[in-house]
Amino acid sequence: MLLILLNRYLLPKFNFLIFYANHKIDIDNKSFSFIKISITLDATMHNQLREHIEKIIPLTDEEFAFVSSHFTVKKFKKHQFLIQEGDSVKYSYFIISGLLKLVYTDEKAKQHVVSFAMEDWWESDYYAFFTQTEATMSLECLEDTEVLCCSFEDYKNLCNGLQKMERFFLEKATFGFLGSQRRIVSWQTSNSKERYDQLLKQYPSLLQRVPKSLIASYLGVSRETLSRLSS
């Protein structure tokens, strides 16, 4: 209760959230104690993360305090890498502000844009993250970017400590799987013009923020072809 009262007072007045060491709570008939003190989320981040999660699951204040304690804040500049090929992948990233690109570089040093990620999206090299192996892709900022980071250990602790979060992550993974299937089908059945129109319809703001050369790489067409498609 002390934790909840503190945060209700601190968030609107001082713009941060505090997690109090040795505060014991009961969630899903299990007892948990916070064993660290961290001041990590300002009011905007606090609200954005909670609203994002509560699109899928409801959370009490106490449950959200538990969830929030598993995230840390990082800020990156444009062109800075969050992940580079060969790195150990420590985090899954929830994007508060900014824009990222996930890129695979083949043996001929040609870069292939796998995905873009903007506000309210999650991104990482997920194969490396979940298998705890070295990254085969790179994650780079296209704009100054602010993210919330969840480590693999924190991800497991969230799933084990709060069944609701296990459901949340399962639904996010399912949505991602469905999106990947749709993209594969689109690649196999649609021409370049149809793929461009679909991207424009689904993510109109993305085309205003991403250089055309990267859009062309994502669609698997040349820069010249993209110019014809967008004219």
Side-chain angles (χ1 to χ4, degrees):
M1 182 60 67
L2 174 61
L3 176 68
I4 295 169
L5 292 174
L6 277 172
N7 286 329
R8 283 177 176 169
Y9 177 78
L10 291 172
L11 274 169
K13 291 186 176 292
F14 299 106
N15 217 34
F16 64 78
L17 182 68
I18 187 168
F19 304 103
Y20 183 70
N22 297 323
H23 178 73
K24 189 174 182 180
I25 62 174
D26 292 316
I27 298 175
D28 288 346
N29 297 317
K30 301 175 185 177
S31 293
F32 297 92
S33 296
F34 295 106
I35 59 173
K36 60 184 179 182
I37 297 177
S38 58
I39 300 174
T40 53
L41 307 188
D42 69 14
T44 301
M45 295 178 190
H46 175 275
N47 292 332
Q48 190 169 336
L49 179 62
R50 184 163 189 169
E51 287 173 6
H52 175 77
I53 294 172
E54 289 191 330
K55 290 175 183 176
I56 297 177
I57 57 169
L59 292 172
T60 66
D61 288 347
E62 198 165 56
E63 287 171 337
F64 182 69
F66 174 74
V67 170
S68 299
S69 69
H70 292 77
F71 288 85
T72 55
V73 181
K74 288 184 182 291
K75 296 182 180 181
F76 298 89
K77 293 294 185 181
K78 184 177 180 179
H79 300 311
Q80 193 172 354
F81 285 90
L82 286 71
I83 301 170
Q84 288 185 283
E85 184 178 349
D87 287 351
S88 59
V89 179
K90 299 179 180 179
Y91 301 108
S92 174
Y93 299 98
F94 176 67
I95 299 151
I96 296 295
S97 62
L99 183 64
L100 305 173
K101 67 170 181 177
L102 186 67
V103 173
Y104 175 77
T105 304
D106 64 24
E107 63 274 7
K108 296 180 181 179
K110 181 179 179 180
Q111 291 192 339
H112 305 268
V113 177
V114 177
S115 63
F116 300 104
M118 52 187 172
E119 292 85 0
D120 218 34
W121 292 12
W122 297 78
E123 193 58 279
S124 190
D125 179 340
Y126 278 113
Y127 181 85
F129 178 74
F130 284 112
T131 60
Q132 291 294 279
T133 54
E134 291 183 351
T136 58
M137 294 182 279
S138 61
L139 186 61
E140 182 183 357
C141 296
L142 296 176
E143 300 172 356
D144 290 352
T145 300
E146 193 165 19
V147 295
L148 298 180
C149 310
C150 183
S151 71
F152 186 61
E153 281 301 313
D154 282 327
Y155 166 81
K156 290 191 295 183
N157 289 339
L158 277 173
C159 291
N160 292 331
L162 186 57
Q163 190 174 16
K164 289 180 179 181
M165 287 303 295
E166 188 173 29
R167 178 192 158 200
F168 169 78
F169 285 124
L170 176 60
E171 292 209 19
K172 296 300 293 184
T174 300
F175 295 148
F177 174 72
L178 295 176
S180 296
Q181 278 196 335
R182 286 197 301 268
R183 188 179 178 195
I184 292 169
V185 170
S186 175
W187 269 81
Q188 293 177 335
T189 62
S190 304
N191 59 41
S192 55
K193 174 60 174 173
E194 290 170 334
R195 294 200 298 273
Y196 174 79
D197 289 343
Q198 183 180 19
L199 182 65
L200 182 62
K201 180 180 179 181
Q202 193 169 6
Y203 306 114
S205 65
L206 192 63
L207 275 70
Q208 307 302 317
R209 300 170 66 179
V210 177
K212 288 187 176 181
S213 58
L214 296 180
I215 295 292
S217 175
Y218 178 76
L219 293 173
V221 300
S222 67
R223 177 69 171 78
E224 294 72 23
T225 298
L226 181 64
S227 294
R228 290 197 300 272
L229 296 176
S230 58
S231 61

